[in-house]
Amino acid sequence: MGYTSERNTNSAPQPPQLGVDPGHAQSAAEKPDIPAISGIQVLDRAVYILSIIAARPHNLSEVCEETGLPRATAHRISVALEKHRLIERQADGQWTAGPALAELAPRTSPRLEEAAEHLLPKLVEQTKESVQVYQLSGFERLCVANAEPATGLRDTVPRNTRMTLNAGSAARILVAWAPISLQQAVLPTAAYSAAELERVRQTQISESVAERDASLASASVPIFDSTGTMVAALSVSGPVARMGDSPAEKFGDALRQTAKEIEIHL
């Protein structure tokens, strides 16, 4: 019997279809009024504009034509997306996908998966607890690899589980090395502070006890690629009674050693 981890398993939303704003030149027959999918009009419009620009570059006139939005509305939303670096202007003035999209996406690597497959079972043997590898995915963390003891009470986190960035030791690692814009978005509701993230960057280890789940504790370390970029968080987690008051102290050496071995593969 394993612990069930909190997670968001919702599938990725499809681009919304937008109707015509009142006063737009096109008729309702040309652009039928289709209900927004979230009920938050400005969000649906922004996601739709982002999705069409990510598919191929668009200028403002093309955005208006494809969405049916008034020019002022399309321009205001597109400029906001540009300020968040989700889209950017090319030399010809067209908007294209911006660098923030890549920064928010998980950096998957066959080598990371291969290393995890071989090394995580060894870490389970050392710690006698469940272990996971998480990567940043938008404003969530995604479990991309895991291993756990064959028997006994344990923290079960299935692969492809999505979890919050607001709490947990792995969240601290991922947010500590994330872009400043993501940190600013997460910190107001997080169980940790900017000062704690600075300590995590200095010590390169984090821990949480009874934070995300009152029965669980964990410790995590970063995994870096050959360029020094943090690409994932390696975690060990289990019942508070076994993990102790300081999981980082108890499992730090084993976590760091395994992280170094994974980095060799990268």
Side-chain angles (χ1 to χ4, degrees):
M1 176 179 177
Y3 282 69
T4 301
S5 299
E6 299 171 7
R7 52 190 180 275
N8 179 359
T9 56
N10 293 337
S11 58
Q14 298 300 313
Q17 295 178 316
L18 303 181
V20 181
D21 275 14
H24 191 267
Q26 291 176 294
S27 69
E30 293 173 307
K31 291 284 186 178
D33 189 12
I34 301 174
I37 64 170
S38 74
I40 304 175
Q41 187 182 63
V42 67
L43 175 62
D44 289 329
R45 289 173 169 177
V47 171
Y48 187 59
I49 290 174
L50 177 60
S51 68
I52 65 173
I53 290 175
R56 70 169 179 83
H58 284 66
N59 59 32
L60 180 58
S61 295
E62 291 171 332
V63 170
C64 293
E65 181 179 355
E66 191 158 343
T67 63
L69 292 172
R71 190 176 185 88
T73 301
H75 181 264
R76 182 174 66 252
I77 294 174
S78 298
V79 169
L81 292 171
E82 187 176 0
K83 287 183 180 296
H84 284 283
R85 300 168 59 246
L86 292 167
I87 62 175
E88 63 181 3
R89 288 186 188 270
Q90 300 181 134
D92 60 4
Q94 289 187 313
W95 281 299
T96 189
L101 286 179
E103 292 170 358
L104 293 174
R107 298 184 175 109
T108 57
S109 165
R111 287 184 177 272
L112 177 61
E113 296 175 3
E114 180 182 275
E117 181 181 354
H118 290 289
L119 295 171
L120 293 193
K122 177 183 173 183
L123 183 57
V124 170
E125 290 182 8
Q126 289 179 282
T127 63
K128 311 302 181 186
E129 302 292 352
S130 301
V131 297
Q132 308 88 27
V133 175
Y134 293 97
Q135 289 190 296
L136 190 65
S137 179
F139 287 90
E140 296 174 311
R141 50 183 165 122
L142 176 69
C143 180
V144 297
N146 69 335
E148 59 185 46
T151 60
L153 197 61
R154 55 195 182 275
D155 178 24
T156 299
V157 183
R159 189 173 178 178
N160 294 324
T161 295
R162 291 181 175 272
M163 303 172 72
T164 179
L165 290 176
N166 292 336
S169 64
R172 286 166 166 79
I173 294 292
L174 296 175
V175 176
W177 277 272
I180 296 297
S181 58
L182 188 145
Q183 293 182 18
Q184 292 174 338
V186 171
L187 280 171
T189 57
Y192 47 85
S193 64
E196 185 172 353
L197 291 184
E198 179 59 31
R199 289 195 297 273
V200 168
R201 285 188 291 269
Q202 293 175 357
T203 62
Q204 297 193 7
I205 193 167
S206 65
E207 65 181 8
S208 67
V209 178
E211 184 175 276
R212 184 181 55 80
D213 185 312
S215 62
L216 297 175
S218 67
S220 300
V221 297
I223 297 173
F224 299 96
D225 66 13
S226 59
T227 68
T229 300
M230 191 281 298
V231 294
L234 174 64
S235 300
V236 56
S237 62
V240 171
R242 290 203 306 257
M243 298 289 287
D245 294 334
S246 180
E249 182 177 350
K250 184 173 183 178
F251 299 109
D253 290 343
L255 282 169
R256 292 187 180 97
Q257 180 59 39
T258 302
K260 288 180 181 178
E261 292 176 6
I262 291 175
E263 290 168 359
I264 292 173
H265 285 264
L266 302 182

